[in-house]
Amino acid sequence: MRAPRPQHSNAGAGASSSGTAGRRALADCARLPDLLDADPAGTLSSLEAARDLRAETRDAGITAAEAVLELALAFHHAALGEQDTVRAAIDRLHELARTGDYAYYADIAHYMGGLPLPGPSTACWLDGAEAVRDRWHCLVETRQAHLGASG
């Protein structure tokens, strides 16, 4: 699922002012699933890389990359059954969605973690919220089965 284009004019402004740092943060975000997949147990090295990447994307001012990072981490922690860590990622997603952009990422993180939404969603899902919830949670269950088979 692709994120909608940000509606405010300063989206990516930090990336252009940061130049190389912004491009590096975006490239690193693209590599995050590989980092986490290579280390499914979530050891210190992969999680430390995620923390570093979080700091880089924040410093570069790339909200979209930061939101994708938090969503990837929510998926990772949901697959490991770490509900408290999923909730922490959801809190960060809510903070990133203050402007209204990417607010549905928090819904998706709730769905992945099997957690109830705190209130009505502002997202209008084409297939309905339950179908979307089931699909995202199924991805987590599939990942959990894979981790169980490889562990």
Side-chain angles (χ1 to χ4, degrees), residues 35-43 46 76 79-80 82 143 146-147 150:
L35 290 172
L36 294 174
D37 193 43
D39 188 8
T43 61
S46 66
H76 175 73
L80 294 176
E82 299 171 348
R143 180 66 178 156
H146 173 76
L147 291 174
S150 64

Side-chain angles (χ1 to χ4, degrees), residues 4 9 20-21 29 32 35 41 46 51 53 64 81 86 91 97 107 110 134 138 142 145 147:
S9 61
T20 303
C29 268
L32 182 67
L35 290 172
S46 66
R51 281 189 209 95
L53 184 53
V86 173
D91 289 345
D107 288 3
H110 279 93
D134 290 345
C138 182
T142 300
L147 291 174

Side-chain angles (χ1 to χ4, degrees), residues 39-89:
D39 188 8
T43 61
L44 185 59
S45 62
S46 66
L47 295 178
E48 189 62 36
R51 281 189 209 95
D52 292 346
L53 184 53
R54 181 182 293 133
E56 285 182 38
T57 57
R58 186 172 296 132
D59 291 347
I62 308 172
T63 304
E66 199 172 350
V68 169
L69 168 65
E70 294 302 336
L71 192 59
L73 288 170
F75 173 77
H76 175 73
H77 293 296
L80 294 176
E82 299 171 348
Q83 298 300 313
D84 289 341
T85 315
V86 173
R87 286 184 188 92

